[in-house]
Amino acid sequence: MVSDEDVERLYQRLKDDAESAGYHLNSDRQFVMGVVRGLLTNEERFGYMACPCRLPSGKREEDLDIICPCDYRDQDLAEFGACYCALYVSERVARGEEGLRPVPERRGSRSSRPASETAEPHIEGLSKPVWRCRVCGYLCARDEPPEICPICKASRERFERFM
Amino acid sequence: MGKVHVDGHDAGAVTLYALSTCMWCKKTRDLLSKLGVSYDYVYVDLTSGAERAELIDELRKFNPDLTFPTLVANGRVIIGFKEKEIMSALGAL
């Protein structure tokens, strides 16, 4: 069972991470606490924080794209002012200048999802490979991707070779 | 757990496919209880095996994307928490 203390702790961490990286949590605290509880419930069930508004397969490799923050968050923030489950909102929504609206699912069927290892064109002559965070687009040139994305805190497995 | 029936006044056949972890599903259930209608709901994430497979087949007919909440109210399929659409389908508008 997920305790209230666990929910509060994760909420604080997500809020601090969001604010330090230019993101915003939904200001409806009660709603957000419910989403956070859902994340912890999924972590308890599957070992990873799958999006609470989606049905996880239970297999990590199949659900990588919907581990929070999901691969679709930033695109949904830009287009609809909120991520799919409305944990994260745009600055305009956070300020109350724009309301929430339903966000359509852009995940697509499994067959149309990009493979986790996409064959990107490699540019000859680069001294280091370039890695791209699939969640927020952060790029870095180094031998291996970072353990955790310094911007959105996604784990290493969410990075793809970009160049 | 299979489908759970919630008593209320008769607004026709109403079935809600939901996830126990999803706040938009919760908002939908809150709205249904505010409207006081009778309905059936199922938390698909709490099912497994043959029951899950059967439910997914059933839901796929209404919503091939298998997203939640999906409300089937008197033949009308409402995907996502769309308050006005739900109220209108239940004769509350």
Side-chain angles (χ1 to χ4, degrees):
Chain A
M1 270 302 282
V2 175
S3 73
D4 290 348
E5 291 75 37
D6 289 340
V7 174
E8 185 62 42
R9 204 173 306 126
L10 178 59
Y11 167 76
Q12 272 312 327
R13 201 189 89 203
L14 293 175
K15 194 170 179 332
D16 294 346
D17 284 351
E19 283 170 3
S20 67
Y23 290 95
H24 308 274
L25 288 192
N26 188 333
S27 56
D28 182 342
R29 196 169 190 278
Q30 208 193 342
F31 182 92
V32 168
M33 293 311 243
V35 178
V36 170
R37 186 172 289 277
L39 284 171
L40 288 168
T41 303
N42 280 344
E43 185 177 46
E44 213 169 68
R45 282 182 191 161
F46 309 113
Y48 51 89
M49 287 193 219
C51 174
C53 292
R54 290 169 163 123
L55 183 63
S57 71
K59 293 182 194 127
R60 192 185 177 95
E61 62 277 18
E62 280 178 25
D63 293 339
L64 266 187
D65 61 320
I66 56 162
I67 294 178
C68 186
C70 67
D71 283 10
Y72 318 102
R73 176 186 67 171
D74 289 27
Q75 229 178 326
D76 284 337
L77 281 176
E79 198 172 335
F80 300 101
C83 71
Y84 187 66
C85 68
L87 172 62
Y88 294 96
V89 297
S90 69
E91 187 167 6
R92 283 180 57 77
V93 171
R95 281 199 193 144
E97 291 164 8
E98 200 181 294
L100 283 178
R101 52 200 158 131
V103 176
E105 172 63 290
R106 68 167 81 234
R107 191 181 189 207
S109 63
R110 206 199 301 174
S111 54
S112 65
R113 256 170 249 156
S116 52
E117 284 296 322
T118 32
E120 298 295 344
H122 289 194
I123 295 176
E124 296 298 320
L126 290 177
S127 62
K128 295 282 179 194
V130 176
W131 302 94
R132 175 182 179 275
C133 173
R134 297 174 73 96
V135 177
C136 70
Y138 167 76
L139 297 177
C140 60
R142 47 195 273 185
D143 292 325
E144 296 291 335
E147 275 189 352
I148 289 176
C149 174
I151 303 303
C152 72
K153 315 299 178 201
S155 59
R156 167 177 291 184
E157 61 203 336
R158 312 289 292 280
F159 276 78
E160 63 187 1
R161 175 101 184 238
F162 187 64
M163 275 194 263
Chain B
M1 70 167 258
K3 286 193 183 116
V4 180
H5 181 74
V6 179
D7 272 333
H9 72 79
D10 186 8
V14 181
T15 304
L16 172 68
Y17 299 87
L19 298 176
S20 69
T21 51
C22 164
M23 287 303 281
W24 295 111
C25 297
K26 182 177 184 303
K27 275 184 174 280
T28 307
R29 283 202 61 200
D30 289 348
L31 176 62
L32 294 175
S33 72
K34 198 176 91 186
L35 298 174
V37 298
S38 139
Y39 69 100
D40 293 315
Y41 74 91
V42 59
Y43 286 137
V44 178
D45 60 317
L46 299 183
T47 64
S48 59
E51 190 191 15
R52 163 91 60 109
E54 212 169 287
L55 272 171
I56 297 259
D57 280 348
E58 188 181 308
L59 173 56
R60 209 186 292 275
K61 287 182 205 140
F62 302 116
N63 174 4
D65 290 337
L66 298 174
T67 56
F68 303 90
T70 296
L71 184 74
V72 183
N74 298 310
R76 236 168 108 176
V77 180
I78 301 166
I79 296 167
F81 176 66
K82 294 178 186 140
E83 207 169 349
K84 281 195 178 144
E85 276 186 47
I86 294 171
M87 289 172 75
S88 136
L90 297 175
L93 267 189

